[in-house]
Amino acid sequence: MKKRSLEERLQDGPVICGEGYLFELERRGYLQAGTFVPEVALDNPQALKQTYRDYMLAGSDVVLAFTYNAHREKMRIIGKEELLEPLNRQAIRLAKEVAKEHPEEEALVAGNISNTNLFNPDDPSSKEEVRSMFAEMISWCKEEGVDFVNGETFYYYEEAKIALEEIKKQGLPAVITFGLMGENVLRDGYSVEEGCRLLKEHGALVVGMNCFRGPATMQPHIEKIRKNVDGYVGALPIPYRTTEEHPTFFNLPDGGCACSIPTETTFPTSLDPLYCNRYELASWAKEAHETGVNYFGLCCGASPSMLREVAETVGREAVNSTYSPNMEKHFLFGSDENLQSHITSYKNKA
């Protein structure tokens, strides 16, 4: 089958983009929480390839190169600036290798740039430094042959706009998504729907939101974006039970924790009891699909099985849908006629 572009796939129906590598690779033991730098591309390439593969087979149309936080400023902070270009190129090359493995249609490969944590709206020199950082990363994306660039987790509109401008200079399609913090407005005063509308007008193919917020506190903003944007909208929440009182996972409390944790809040290493289950995520995906979202995914904390649930909910069948839950033959909760009734009748006492 001929490999369709991102725009062609969007025209044909919902597109799924697997994210969440940051927490998943930390959980698998290949990434340090706190610094959150994707050195795994160089240190453990097979682990990264398997993660890419797991999300792709769970329904992702896109293998997103894991270069989140792999920008010059972050690499400088950890004292490994010399690894910047090798890491970026390796992450893309590994993604391309995995994308070719898709048994039905070669997956898309996306380059990845993100919030720099350097941008300062009051400091013109910071803006030029950010632009330079984006420009070099996107040039490597172009040289390595990505299909589009995903610019994500921006909490300043102007930083997102710089990212879009640099992507467009390289002639690549752009997906740009905001990370909205707890004050419900971007840090430079724009509403998220206004930021998305402007980015669409400036040429982004997909605009929307990712990370920071779970389905409950992202969806109301997605609905506003959908009403204000004439084009493709993306939504990639985190799979945690955020609330109106605590709209992001940065300050999400866990009243059931019986120990003292070493971090100021449950973020990032004590969030486990606060997960949405896969059916909550499916419920959100149905609502988002009905809202008119075109580009679906999950962000930090997501597992492949969660992504598969989202994909199936919006009408997609994943390669690994063959392993989707089926309780028919379970020894306690099954209904198969070959099961023993003296066991199945005991289920409510088990």
Side-chain angles (χ1 to χ4, degrees):
M1 183 177 182
K2 175 183 174 291
K3 177 180 175 179
R4 293 169 296 159
S5 68
L6 175 59
E7 188 165 13
E8 288 171 332
R9 295 181 196 226
L10 287 163
Q11 290 168 354
D12 291 341
V15 169
I16 309 298
C17 180
E19 291 201 38
Y21 302 150
L22 201 71
F23 278 30
E24 180 69 10
L25 281 156
E26 195 276 335
R27 186 163 47 217
R28 295 186 186 194
Y30 295 102
L31 186 143
Q32 184 181 58
T35 54
F36 284 128
V37 175
E39 296 174 79
V40 63
L42 298 175
D43 295 345
N44 290 284
Q46 291 308 312
L48 180 55
K49 284 186 72 173
Q50 187 60 49
T51 305
Y52 284 159
R53 186 177 294 117
D54 291 346
Y55 283 77
M56 181 181 74
L57 297 179
S60 185
D61 297 294
V62 181
V63 182
L64 179 66
F66 187 33
T67 56
Y68 181 87
N69 267 348
H71 52 70
R72 188 168 294 280
E73 175 66 10
K74 191 73 170 186
M75 299 301 287
R76 183 184 298 135
I77 288 172
I78 68 168
K80 296 183 179 181
E81 193 173 352
E82 75 281 0
L83 298 180
L84 174 66
E85 183 173 349
L87 191 160
N88 274 263
R89 290 189 183 274
Q90 172 82 329
I92 296 169
R93 290 169 185 172
L94 295 174
K96 291 179 71 176
E97 290 175 15
V98 171
K100 289 181 170 64
E101 297 176 7
H102 199 291
E104 296 163 6
E105 178 183 7
E106 183 178 335
L108 297 169
V109 173
N112 185 218
I113 59 174
S114 58
N115 54 308
T116 62
N117 309 312
L118 181 69
F119 181 86
N120 183 341
D122 300 321
D123 180 1
S125 66
S126 78
K127 300 176 186 180
E128 289 311 306
E129 192 169 354
V130 165
R131 185 179 296 278
S132 175
M133 286 162 50
F134 288 157
E136 64 183 356
M137 292 178 73
I138 298 163
S139 71
W140 299 327
C141 289
K142 178 74 170 182
E143 289 168 10
E144 295 294 339
V146 304
D147 297 298
F148 67 95
V149 174
N150 179 45
E152 63 173 337
T153 327
F154 296 112
Y155 38 86
Y156 286 103
Y157 163 73
E158 191 176 354
E159 185 178 35
K161 183 171 180 285
I162 292 171
L164 175 59
E165 288 168 355
E166 293 305 313
I167 295 169
K168 287 180 63 181
K169 284 179 185 177
Q170 293 292 347
L172 291 165
V175 173
I176 308 288
T177 51
F178 288 111
L180 187 63
M181 292 196 181
E183 292 184 310
N184 300 319
V185 66
L186 298 174
R187 292 291 309 276
D188 42 4
Y190 291 83
S191 70
V192 70
E193 62 269 25
E194 177 71 358
C196 285
R197 184 186 66 79
L198 291 170
L199 291 174
K200 179 65 179 67
E201 290 177 0
H202 287 300
L205 178 59
V206 179
V207 294
M209 294 174 66
N210 78 290
C211 211
F212 296 0
R213 291 171 176 254
T217 54
M218 180 178 286
Q219 181 60 22
H221 294 280
I222 291 296
E223 291 172 4
K224 292 178 184 178
I225 293 168
R226 181 67 282 174
K227 289 176 182 176
N228 283 272
V229 170
D230 181 20
Y232 299 116
V233 170
L236 303 93
I238 55 169
Y240 296 104
R241 292 171 176 162
T242 53
T243 65
E244 188 173 348
E245 184 180 3
H246 301 285
T248 76
F249 65 174
F250 292 121
N251 293 287
L252 198 57
D254 175 16
C257 182
C259 72
S260 175
I261 61 175
T263 50
E264 290 184 51
T265 71
T266 56
F267 178 87
T269 49
S270 306
L271 287 163
D272 307 61
L274 305 172
Y275 266 124
C276 298
N277 66 48
R278 66 184 72 188
Y279 306 110
E280 291 172 295
L281 297 171
S283 178
W284 163 75
K286 181 177 184 294
E287 183 180 3
H289 191 225
E290 291 170 350
T291 299
V293 170
N294 315 97
Y295 183 95
F296 289 84
L298 298 169
C299 209
C300 293
S303 67
S305 62
M306 291 175 172
L307 184 72
R308 183 181 63 200
E309 196 72 34
V310 168
E312 292 175 348
T313 299
V314 301
R316 300 293 303 279
E317 184 175 355
V319 175
N320 279 354
S321 284
T322 186
Y323 302 118
S324 293
N326 181 348
M327 295 293 287
E328 184 179 338
K329 298 184 188 299
H330 189 270
F331 82 107
L332 272 177
F333 294 99
S335 57
D336 189 280
E337 61 183 17
N338 295 308
L339 295 172
Q340 299 296 310
S341 61
H342 73 285
I343 300 294
T344 56
S345 63
Y346 191 72
K347 62 187 177 185
N348 292 324
K349 300 176 182 177

